[in-house]
Amino acid sequence: MLVIHEPAELKAVIGLAKSRGKVIGLVPTMGALHAGHMALVKQSQSKASFTVVSIFVNPLQFNNQEDLDLYPHNIEDDLKLLRVSKVDAVFAPKRENIYPKKPTILFQFGQFTTVLEGHYRPGHFEGVGLVITKLFNIVRPDKAFFGLKDLQQFFLIKKIAIELSFDIEIEGVETVRDKNGLALSSRNQRLSAEGIKKASSIYEGLKMAEEMFQSGYVIPDIKTKICKYYGSCSGLQVEYCEIIDVHEFVPLETLEAVGRVAICVAAHVEGIRLIDNLYLRLD
Ligand code: PAF
C-alpha cells in the first residue's frame, strides 16, 4: 500500500494506474476509521480496481474550534486497518499540501446552507465543498464513495459533481450501526460506555417514526411523538428532528407531491454532537 503526502506524487501514481486501465475509486475520510469507513472501502474495491483512501482532517469544515481540537487522530491505526484491507494507496496530505494559502474562494449553496446541518453548522458545507473539490481535482477518481449517515453532505457532493461537471460517479453507502442501532461515527470514540447506551435512543426514535409513517400517521403527529420521546431520554439533547423531502432537503409538513422522504436528527450526548437519519419512503 502506497502512503502519499504530496498531491503531485499522488497525481503521478494515479496517472500511471489510469494508463494501465485501472478504474479509480476514492474514499474521502478524516481518519479515526471504523467499520463504517471500511464499508466504503469494500464498496470501492468491488466497483473500482484502484482504491485511494484520503485521510485529512479538514479545518475549514469545523465551525467549532473545540470540535476540531478534540477530533480523534490515530493515523498509525488507520494505516494498519487499510493495509489489512489491501487498499492501493492512502493520501494523507499535511494541511499546507491542501491549503498552501488561506483560500479566497467561497462556495454558496443556497438552500443547503439554510436548513438542518447547514443551519446549525454555519460554514460547514462550504468547507466540505472546498475540500471535496480539491480532492476530486487531485485524485481525478472515476467513482467516489460517501456514507449515507451524512445524508445532506451526500446530496451536496452529488450536486457539486453535477454542477461543476466532474465526471465522477458519486455513490452512497448504507450507514453501519452497532448492535443497538447507534450509527458508527468517529465521534463515538469520545463517548463513555454509558453515553453509547444513551446515544442508541437516537435510532430508537427513528424506528418509531418509521413505524408511525408506515401506519399512516401525518407528519406533525410523528414529529410531536418523536420529540416527546427524545425529550424523555435522559442525557440526550436534540438539536433538530425533521422529516424532509430528500431531493430538495426541505423540512415537510405534509406528504403531498413528494417522493423520497427521510427523517434526520442531530443530538448531543455528553457534549458530543451526533447525527443520524432513516429513509421513510423511497420513490
Ligand atoms: O464525511 C467526512 O468524513 C468528511 O466530511 C469528508 C467527506 C471526508 C470531507 O472532509
Side-chain angles (χ1 to χ4, degrees):
M1 182 179 82
L2 299 166
V3 180
I4 298 170
H5 305 285
E6 298 285 338
E9 192 188 339
L10 184 70
K11 281 183 183 173
V13 166
I14 299 288
L16 191 65
K18 284 194 173 182
S19 72
R20 292 178 174 157
K22 299 281 189 192
V23 174
I24 313 295
L26 171 65
V27 178
T29 80
M30 297 205 297
L33 303 181
H34 50 67
H37 295 111
M38 299 323 285
L40 304 181
V41 168
K42 214 165 158 191
Q43 190 83 343
S44 174
Q45 289 174 322
S46 74
K47 298 200 166 166
S49 46
F50 191 97
T51 291
V52 181
V53 175
S54 64
I55 299 179
F56 179 64
V57 181
N58 174 32
L60 262 58
Q61 70 186 74
F62 286 80
N63 58 311
N64 173 334
Q65 185 62 37
E66 195 194 354
D67 192 25
L68 172 60
D69 294 341
L70 295 177
Y71 201 82
H73 300 255
N74 39 27
I75 184 91
E76 288 312 320
D77 288 356
D78 291 347
L79 293 179
K80 255 188 234 157
L81 213 55
L82 297 172
R83 231 171 242 124
V84 172
S85 303
K86 299 196 181 340
V87 159
D88 298 285
V90 173
F91 178 47
K94 294 203 175 68
R95 202 178 277 196
E96 56 273 23
N97 294 131
I98 296 294
Y99 302 118
K101 288 195 293 191
K102 191 170 184 276
T104 52
I105 283 184
L106 184 64
F107 281 119
Q108 282 196 335
F109 296 114
Q111 169 70 17
F112 267 86
T113 49
T114 64
V115 288
L116 309 192
E117 289 300 285
H119 176 74
Y120 287 95
R121 301 189 68 192
H124 168 65
F125 284 133
E126 289 77 0
V128 169
L130 195 58
V131 83
I132 286 299
T133 305
K134 279 178 162 269
L135 288 171
F136 283 176
N137 278 322
I138 294 166
V139 182
R140 302 239 165 231
D142 299 292
K143 298 168 191 284
F145 300 85
F146 297 89
L148 292 174
K149 179 177 77 68
D150 298 298
L151 193 65
Q152 199 173 359
Q153 167 176 279
F154 171 72
F155 279 94
L156 177 78
I157 292 168
K158 263 178 121 52
K159 193 178 160 84
I160 291 174
I162 294 167
E163 293 192 18
L164 295 181
S165 307
F166 282 109
D167 202 4
I168 301 171
E169 272 175 47
I170 308 298
E171 300 222 5
V173 177
E174 283 302 320
T175 302
V176 179
R177 300 179 181 281
D178 74 6
K179 61 179 190 320
N180 296 321
L182 174 64
L184 298 193
S185 160
S186 303
R187 287 186 173 84
N188 295 357
Q189 287 185 20
R190 293 173 52 203
L191 293 170
S192 69
E194 191 56 29
I196 295 268
K197 267 194 225 150
K198 287 180 178 161
S200 64
S201 48
I202 297 175
Y203 186 60
E204 292 279 317
L206 296 180
K207 292 297 283 179
M208 277 169 61
E210 184 184 42
E211 260 174 45
M212 289 181 79
F213 189 86
Q214 283 166 359
S215 312
Y217 282 85
V218 293
I219 289 181
D221 289 353
I222 301 177
K223 275 173 62 175
T224 307
K225 179 86 192 279
I226 303 308
C227 287
K228 202 163 163 205
Y229 167 70
Y230 283 142
S232 73
C233 298
S234 86
L236 187 86
Q237 291 87 39
V238 169
E239 196 167 65
Y240 65 76
C241 172
E242 292 288 356
I243 293 176
I244 54 138
D245 166 358
V246 176
H247 290 296
E248 301 299 329
F249 245 88
V250 285
L252 293 170
E253 288 305 323
T254 131
L255 284 172
E256 264 164 52
V258 271
R260 196 171 282 215
V261 174
I263 176 165
C264 298
V265 181
H268 294 258
V269 176
E270 296 178 339
I272 316 294
R273 189 174 187 278
L274 304 168
I275 59 170
D276 202 354
N277 67 80
L278 201 62
Y279 275 117
L280 299 178
R281 184 166 78 192
L282 297 168
D283 50 358

